Amino acid sequence: MPLGKPVPLIAVVLGLGGLIPFIGFAALSLSGNDGGLGTIGLSPRLILSAYGAVIASFLGGIRWGAAAAREGGNADYVIAIVPSLVAWAALAIPAPWDLRVLGLLVLGWGLVDQDLVRRGLVPLWLGRLRLVLSSVAGVSLLVAA
């Protein structure tokens, strides 16, 4: 199987940059230090859950965009809305289940979207990058739960 095109450097840089809030706010949550966020009525855990929900919605957008660009089927559009709906619901459930649901969603979606690679809707490099990014983000959410 050919290796395909190399990962664009900007995708790696932005992808890794997107992990900073996951790792940073998970670490703050575990440390018990709110990093001064309490003075404005926030907590690292709250920011982490909100960021996780936003990123989960973004993951659904990847499938939607791939379906639109490469003539995916109707099921792709329906499946694409699942992360947004699950993430939204996760924001309404109590701790620690909110972060557990988000963590499992982000981890699982990295695997779900591998069918996009198999079907040729996204390049091989995107599937591989997604696995790495989803793994780190999902584990960060689960550890902070």
Side-chain angles (χ1 to χ4, degrees):
M1 180 169 156
L3 293 177
K5 296 181 179 179
V7 181
L9 180 60
I10 190 69
V12 173
V13 170
L14 293 174
L16 293 175
L19 293 177
I20 293 169
F22 282 112
I23 296 167
F25 287 111
L28 270 178
S29 293
L30 291 173
S31 75
N33 179 349
D34 73 0
L37 293 168
T39 61
I40 57 172
L42 297 174
S43 71
R45 194 179 190 296
L46 177 64
I47 292 173
L48 180 61
S49 66
Y51 186 67
V54 168
I55 294 302
S57 293
F58 175 80
L59 297 179
I62 292 172
R63 180 172 288 266
W64 187 286
R70 302 288 183 121
E71 298 180 22
N74 290 340
D76 286 314
Y77 292 103
V78 173
I79 293 168
I81 66 169
V82 169
S84 297
L85 294 174
V86 172
W88 178 59
L91 293 176
I93 59 178
W97 292 102
D98 56 345
L99 292 183
R100 288 178 181 168
V101 168
L102 289 168
L104 292 173
L105 174 62
V106 171
L107 276 174
W109 214 256
L111 297 173
V112 168
D113 274 354
Q114 293 308 302
D115 80 299
L116 296 175
V117 176
R118 287 189 294 278
R119 293 170 37 217
L121 295 177
V122 299
L124 179 63
W125 66 260
L126 181 57
R128 290 179 175 169
L129 182 61
R130 281 289 316 288
L131 286 175
V132 172
L133 297 176
S134 291
S135 295
V136 174
V139 168
S140 295
L141 289 160
L142 290 172
V143 166

